[in-house]
Amino acid sequence: LCDKAHPIKLLSLDFPEPVISVSVEPKSKADQEKMGIALNKLAEEDPSFRIRSDAETGQTIIAGMGELHLDIIVDRMRREFKVEVNQGAPQVAYKETLTKNIEHREVYKKQSGGRGKFADMIVKVEPQDKDFEGGSLQFVDQVKGGNIPKEFIPSIQKGFQNAMKNGVLAGFPLDSLKVTVIDGSFHAVDSDQLSFEICASLAYKSACAKAKPVLLEPIMKMEVVTPEENMGDVIGDLNKRRGQVEGMESSRSGARVVKAKVPLSETFGYVT
């Protein structure tokens, strides 16, 4: 119990987004149902572990914090739930982001006899403000004088939000985006919410392609403990993997500790 004016706020837990995913499929028809039950039970107890179905390939994709995390999940499925699964090659969760500001006008017109579709908007797309903390889309409405009626603005936001799931560079999700709706126009009969939603997704594709999109890659912090005589080999190998060696220390046992940052895609099976 607490005073309304001074609420007791408990800290919420923040779980990081998964950086690695693999496809899993049951070895036999009998394992199909058991696999679904096992995955759901494991996901319930581990908030950093996610499951989804890939609409294009029909595969079940499991995602987590790293290679070891997913290896343990698959091992637990075998031991605790007696489910045999085939595992696909690990996939890295790349993302995309924009590096330039672009102002763009998009007009969506469709006439098919009877009532048509019409939407017109001028939007500015750019990287998110540094201090913004409200999710992946920062949406600003600057339309004056009712040029776009208020009821259509949420549809524009929804159009951009949905479109961000696929980036324009390589189809990876867009990490963060700021969209400002500056102006536009509508048609009294032909304009509706769907017209503005479609127009927003078209504007997203055209504007983002011009806003210099770049690929974001997960980089892992790595520590390798090695005897002095193997240090050259270890550093040479890390350099081959696009790694950046950040420092070296000596441990109490006399071994050397190499600290580096290495792209996740280059670290699969590193230990073995």
Side-chain angles (χ1 to χ4, degrees), residues 180-254:
T180 309
V181 188
I182 300 164
D183 202 0
S185 64
F186 73 106
H187 188 281
V189 178
D190 291 350
S191 288
D192 59 10
Q193 287 170 332
L194 185 61
S195 302
F196 276 92
E197 197 178 316
I198 294 167
C199 188
S201 64
L202 295 171
Y204 164 86
K205 282 178 190 157
S206 309
C208 289
K210 297 181 212 159
K212 292 230 171 129
V214 291
L215 209 57
L216 296 173
E217 178 171 38
I219 307 288
M220 310 311 276
K221 281 183 183 169
M222 199 185 238
E223 272 189 17
V224 187
V225 182
T226 173
E228 179 82 54
E229 60 266 28
N230 298 105
M231 201 144 105
D233 293 339
V234 167
I235 290 171
D237 179 59
L238 290 174
N239 287 334
K240 267 193 222 150
R241 296 169 184 266
R242 297 189 286 132
Q244 286 181 335
V245 176
E246 295 197 312
M248 281 160 269
E249 294 170 8
S250 291
S251 68
R252 284 183 192 163
S253 63

Side-chain angles (χ1 to χ4, degrees), residues 18-170:
V19 291
I20 178 175
S21 61
V22 296
S23 61
V24 287
E25 53 186 41
K27 278 193 177 172
S28 68
K29 200 84 177 138
D31 286 323
Q32 179 90 48
E33 197 177 324
K34 284 200 296 189
M35 185 180 90
I37 295 166
L39 286 174
N40 286 324
K41 282 227 173 104
L42 290 166
E44 261 174 41
E45 65 184 57
D46 182 353
S48 61
F49 169 62
R50 313 273 171 88
I51 315 158
R52 66 181 171 84
S53 264
D54 190 308
E56 285 178 22
T57 60
Q59 288 176 313
T60 300
I61 309 289
I62 58 173
M65 294 293 104
E67 200 174 6
L68 181 64
H69 186 192
L70 296 183
D71 281 349
I72 289 167
I73 293 277
V74 171
D75 185 51
R76 284 187 63 192
M77 282 166 69
R78 288 197 184 108
R79 283 186 299 108
E80 291 174 32
F81 298 94
K82 307 288 183 277
V83 181
E84 287 298 323
V85 295
N86 292 322
Q87 213 173 321
Q91 300 291 316
V92 176
Y94 293 100
K95 288 185 176 179
E96 295 182 19
T97 193
L98 305 182
T99 56
K100 228 175 129 196
N101 302 1
I102 289 290
E103 203 170 291
H104 176 76
R105 180 173 193 172
E106 188 72 43
V107 181
Y108 174 62
K109 259 187 199 167
K110 203 169 184 191
Q111 214 60 49
S112 54
R115 193 175 163 185
K117 296 257 179 237
F118 178 83
D120 166 27
M121 65 182 76
I122 299 169
V123 292
K124 185 180 180 187
V125 300
E126 58 192 311
Q128 243 179 41
D129 294 344
K130 291 267 190 295
D131 54 355
F132 181 73
E133 291 179 351
S136 55
L137 177 63
Q138 181 181 359
F139 188 79
V140 183
D141 172 18
Q142 284 185 354
V143 179
K144 302 273 191 300
N147 288 353
I148 298 176
K150 283 276 176 251
E151 66 263 27
F152 296 147
I153 299 295
S155 300
I156 298 174
Q157 186 171 355
K158 187 182 169 192
F160 274 100
Q161 192 83 58
N162 289 340
M164 283 174 70
K165 290 171 187 165
N166 293 301
V168 293
L169 194 63

